[in-house]
Structures are given as structure tokens and as C-alpha cells.
Amino acid sequence: METLVSLCASRGFIFPASEIYGGIAGFWDYGPLGVELKNNLKALWWRRMVHERDDVVGIDSAIICHPRTWEASGHVEHFSDPMVDCRTCKRRFRADQIEGERCPEAPAKRAVRDCDLTSARDFNLMLRTDIGASVEEATTAYLRPETCQPIFSGFKRVREAARQKVPFGIAQIGKAFRNEITPRNFTFRSREFEQAEMEFFCHPSQREDWFAHWRDFRFQFHRDIGFDANLLRLRPHASDELAHYARAAVDIEFLFPFGWQEIEGIHDRGDWDLSRHTQYAGKELAITDEETKERYTPMVIETSVGVDRTALALLVAAHREEQLEGGETRTVMKFHPAIAPIKVAVLPLSKKLAEPAQAIQKTLRRHFNTFYDDAGNIGRRYRRQDEVGTPYCVTYDFDSETDHCVTVRERDSMSQTRIPAEGVLAWLRDRLEEGF
Ligand code: GAP
């Protein structure tokens, strides 16, 4: 992880937010490569979950919801972690991090009796803010701890506007905030992060079938973006670890260097959310089946993936240190081409060839994210692209002037192919989105 964290900062994938002030725990900035990686991931999710389906529509809702939303959802009452304060070290810990009578920050030589711990108290994880110009008018509101609640409160409006009939789903990608007591493992547990969530509304008799459908559909998505089968597993929740809204849940877990951890949750939320919003807002959210005239509150199957956690898993899975013949070590990020931040680098062999090379880049950049590099020897330029995971480099050399061909160098095999310059766009297109 240490090597990866430092590569992420130096190459501009991810670095601490407010870095010049010493950072702020649990908050991260994405640099020029990180934002491309995350945008690619979100675009593939949106395509698979919304554009390619007739039964799912998308929304983009406000981050701040009416405060009653979080009473209805159960977050005001239930969304907390038990925590313990150490009066000696002046730090706060999750109760499950405390072993015996000492806190994790205590110096090894300190006697156990010198750690002065409080008993465990519940600490609500929602981040609060005040709305209103003056203190008297201020209303306490929360930055949403999950993106899905506006999907439930907007259910009737969206269903009618999109002329959808149950079964159907509503999807959204956006920021969520949790005042995590101990943010850790790089971006894995952050206080500000993005979720891509989809809430699928169905008849009570179809719950189990849709749960199985979405579990398998989402697992396949993770395989398609490039995770090997041995890095992924499904872990059903035991009944005593279910969230307050869930009747059943299965996590999709990824094997991080710090162990198997959840990157996505598939939840059967039953009618918890629609029934609670009906009760708290006083607005009926049940529906009538046009054919059978049955009136019922739809059940919800949820797919909820962390964009940042999946981006971190993509970085972990892609990162390699390869020993080459001659003893050289090559650092390479083996991203699926559809995920790679830069799709193709255009490299003129000499600065004298800038004009025709830039003409090729101009054509390609209308279709994918490209990079132009004419600095240093060609081997070093290939290595720089390997380090950031660029799947293809197109080299324009002096022969290109007469044979009108370019060399395409492939990242993983390092093989080189000579192809006509005018066919390079089609050649790349065929390969960049394989499997999507
Ligand atoms: N709406 C359901 C829900 O929010 P969750 O299991 O609490 O369920 C879903 O969160 C996903 O959001 C997780 O699988 C994880 O990928 C991501 N996530 C949750 N807390 C996070 C945190 N503190 N930092 C980064 N990602 C987080």
C-alpha cells in the first residue's frame, strides 16, 4: 500500500485534500489522472445500469435533504457507532478497536491503569450543517450519509414523469458524507466519498428473484472492469450484522492488501423506506397494479457501490513491479483499457516530427483522452506511460513520412505493430472498449 499511495500522489491520481495545510483526515483530492479514472468508472456504471436498460432511469438530487428525511430513514436514531474516548491520549476510537483497557494510541511502556477510557457511547455518523442567514433562523440539516434517500422521497414524481411501471429502478451517482471516527486505509474509509446507487422497486412476490438478478449482474460488472475472479467474493450478511433497513444483504468484497473488504452492498430493503416516508411526509407512496388492481407498497432491492473504494481496488489490482531482462524493474498499471485514464499517448520520435504527430493526436483526442510527449528518449517515454497505465502508445518516426505508417506499442506485452496512420483510430476503437 505504501508504494501505491506514494505513486498515486506523485503521478497525480489521489493526494491528501488541503495538503499544504497538512491534510484533513478522511478527505482526498483526485488529480488529473485520478479524475479521469473515476469518471471512466462512473460512465461505465451509468452505461451498464441506466443506458443499456429499459427498466432503470437516472436522477441527480440535492445533497441536502429535508431534515425529516433522516428521521424517516432511521439514520437519526440508528446510524451510529459505539465509541470510546481516551482521556489520557485525548483521542476517540471505535469501541471495537479497543483491546482490553488500553487505547491503540497508548505508548507501549505506559501502564494499563494510566489509560483513562470512557465507557462506550453511541456517536451519530451524520455530518451536520446549519441552513439560514442568522443563528436564530438556522435549521440543522445533514449532508446525506447515503445517496438513495432522495430516490425514495422522489419515487412518485420520477415514476410518473418517466412513465415507468413496477418493476423498475432509479439510479444516481453522487457524494455522501459520514463522520467516520477513524478514517483509514487511504481512501477506503473516508468522510466524503461517492456512491453509485440503484433502487429497484418490485412486487413483494418477486423480491428474491430480483435480489439474485442484481447480485449476479453487479458481480459481473466488477469482472468486466478488470478484476480477476480470485480477487472478488460474495459475502452474505449474518442476521445480526444487517443494517437497520435491510432484511437481507450480500457484500461484494475485494481482496485489498489489508484483507477482504466490502466494495459494494446488495440489500433487500423491503418496504422500509417507502413506508417510512409515507408515514413521515404524510404522502401515499403505495401503487395500484393496473391489471390486477392490487394496491401495495413496492419492495426495494438496492445495489450500492462505493466509487472511491472501487477506484482504490482498481489501482491495487492494476499495480505491478515487473522484473525485465537485464535486471531493470518496470512499474506498470495494468488497467482495463476502458478504465485507463489516458487511452493513447502520441510520441514523435524526434521533435522535428511534431507537426504530423500532433495532427494524429488532434484526430484521436476527439474520441478519447490522449497525451502528447516529445521529451526524452523513446524508452523512457514508454516507461512513463506504463506507470500511469496508458494501454497504447503511437510512435511517429522518420519512416512514417514515406510509408504513412505508425508503430503502436502495447503496454502489457510491450509488443509493437506497424499499421497505416489513417487506420489508427479504428484500430484503437476495436481494442479500447473490449467487453463493454
Ligand atoms: N445505501 C446503502 C448504503 O449506503 P453501505 O454499505 O453503508 O450502504 C455502500 O455503503 C457502499 O458505500 C460501501 O460498499 C462502500 O463501497 C461505500 N462506503 C461506505 N462508507 C464509506 C466510507 N466511509 N468511505 C468510502 N466508501 C464508503
Side-chain angles (χ1 to χ4, degrees), residues 75 79 145-149 152 176 178 180 187-197 199 237 243 245 251-252 262-265 267 269 302-310:
H75 283 77
F79 196 55
E146 55 177 5
T147 56
C148 59
Q149 287 305 323
F152 301 125
R178 296 183 188 179
E180 299 284 359
T187 58
F188 179 82
R189 192 179 302 287
S190 308
R191 289 180 166 141
E192 173 177 342
F193 53 96
E194 271 185 291
Q195 291 182 318
E197 298 200 300
E199 310 300 318
H237 280 208
Y245 51 75
D251 287 343
I252 300 177
E262 168 190 352
I263 51 173
E264 172 153 4
H267 307 124
R269 297 180 75 119
E302 169 182 76
T303 73
S304 175
V305 64
V307 177
D308 308 81
R309 273 194 196 175
T310 308

Side-chain angles (χ1 to χ4, degrees), residues 11 13 33 333 335 341-342 383-390:
R11 295 292 174 268
F13 282 100
L33 296 175
M333 299 296 286
F335 297 121
I342 300 169
R383 290 289 175 275
R384 282 203 288 267
Q385 293 309 314
D386 290 343
E387 274 197 10
V388 299
T390 307

Side-chain angles (χ1 to χ4, degrees), residues 246-262:
R247 295 184 182 195
V250 59
D251 287 343
I252 300 177
E253 293 189 335
F254 175 82
L255 185 56
F256 286 96
F258 42 87
W260 284 102
Q261 295 287 346
E262 168 190 352

Side-chain angles (χ1 to χ4, degrees), residues 30-333:
Y30 287 75
L33 296 175
V35 66
E36 295 292 340
L37 176 87
K38 207 147 79 117
N39 283 346
N40 290 341
L41 175 60
K42 289 190 283 187
L44 292 171
W45 186 90
W46 196 263
R47 189 200 297 183
R48 194 52 67 87
M49 297 294 286
V50 182
H51 289 176
E52 288 179 1
R53 296 193 66 114
D54 293 326
D55 57 358
V56 179
V57 293
I59 63 163
D60 182 21
S61 67
I63 284 174
I64 307 252
C65 308
H66 191 289
R68 291 274 284 164
T69 307
W70 306 109
E71 291 171 34
S73 70
H75 283 77
V76 170
E77 192 182 345
H78 298 288
F79 196 55
S80 52
D81 272 351
M83 56 99 192
V84 167
D85 285 327
C86 177
R87 296 189 189 97
T88 318
C89 304
K90 310 275 184 265
R91 296 284 305 273
R92 178 168 282 175
F93 304 96
R94 284 215 326 246
D96 62 4
Q97 289 178 275
I98 306 279
E99 280 178 25
E101 300 282 303
R102 326 174 54 82
C103 86
E105 295 292 310
K109 58 181 182 300
R110 180 185 292 162
V112 167
R113 66 180 182 285
D114 292 339
C115 261
D116 184 5
L117 301 176
T118 63
S119 51
R121 287 173 300 177
D122 276 340
F123 174 76
N124 195 290
L125 298 181
M126 283 196 290
L127 273 159
R128 305 169 86 157
T129 188
D130 295 325
I131 302 174
S134 67
V135 178
E136 296 83 61
E137 287 168 15
T139 306
T140 298
Y142 301 99
L143 304 187
R144 61 186 183 197
E146 55 177 5
T147 56
C148 59
Q149 287 305 323
I151 293 181
F152 301 125
S153 53
F155 165 69
K156 186 168 185 293
R157 165 74 72 195
V158 176
R159 180 174 62 85
E160 288 171 1
R163 299 178 58 241
Q164 284 284 350
K165 288 198 182 87
V166 171
F168 82 102
I170 305 177
Q172 132 150 285
I173 301 178
K175 291 271 188 178
F177 300 82
R178 296 183 188 179
N179 202 2
E180 299 284 359
I181 299 162
T182 41
R184 60 180 156 169
N185 286 332
F186 197 18
T187 58
F188 179 82
R189 192 179 302 287
S190 308
R191 289 180 166 141
E192 173 177 342
F193 53 96
E194 271 185 291
Q195 291 182 318
E197 298 200 300
M198 193 281 311
E199 310 300 318
F200 198 80
F201 302 90
C202 65
H203 188 271
S205 63
Q206 296 177 337
R207 277 167 62 190
E208 282 168 17
D209 289 348
W210 280 113
F211 186 87
H213 167 83
W214 284 110
R215 178 197 59 209
D216 298 346
F217 192 83
R218 294 301 307 151
F219 193 86
Q220 187 57 43
F221 177 84
H222 291 284
R223 295 281 289 117
D224 290 347
I225 59 175
F227 294 135
D228 282 346
N230 60 357
L231 294 177
L232 291 173
R233 72 176 187 192
L234 289 169
R235 193 183 69 79
H237 280 208
S239 54
D240 61 353
E241 59 173 325
L242 290 174
H244 64 270
Y245 51 75
R247 295 184 182 195
V250 59
D251 287 343
I252 300 177
E253 293 189 335
F254 175 82
L255 185 56
F256 286 96
F258 42 87
W260 284 102
Q261 295 287 346
E262 168 190 352
I263 51 173
E264 172 153 4
I266 317 297
H267 307 124
D268 177 348
R269 297 180 75 119
D271 63 351
W272 165 265
D273 302 276
L274 291 185
S275 296
R276 294 276 290 197
H277 286 300
T278 299
Q279 188 189 333
Y280 279 71
K283 299 272 173 0
E284 185 58 74
L285 296 174
I287 58 156
T288 305
D289 186 304
E290 280 173 19
E291 279 166 30
T292 63
K293 305 298 172 214
E294 183 192 1
R295 188 143 184 87
Y296 66 96
T297 302
M299 299 285 149
V300 171
I301 306 300
E302 169 182 76
T303 73
S304 175
V305 64
V307 177
D308 308 81
R309 273 194 196 175
T310 308
L312 179 59
L314 287 167
L315 287 159
V316 166
H319 183 231
R320 307 275 202 295
E321 302 275 342
E322 288 179 352
Q323 290 302 318
L324 302 181
E325 277 173 35
E328 196 195 340
T329 305
R330 167 172 100 125
T331 301
V332 54
M333 299 296 286

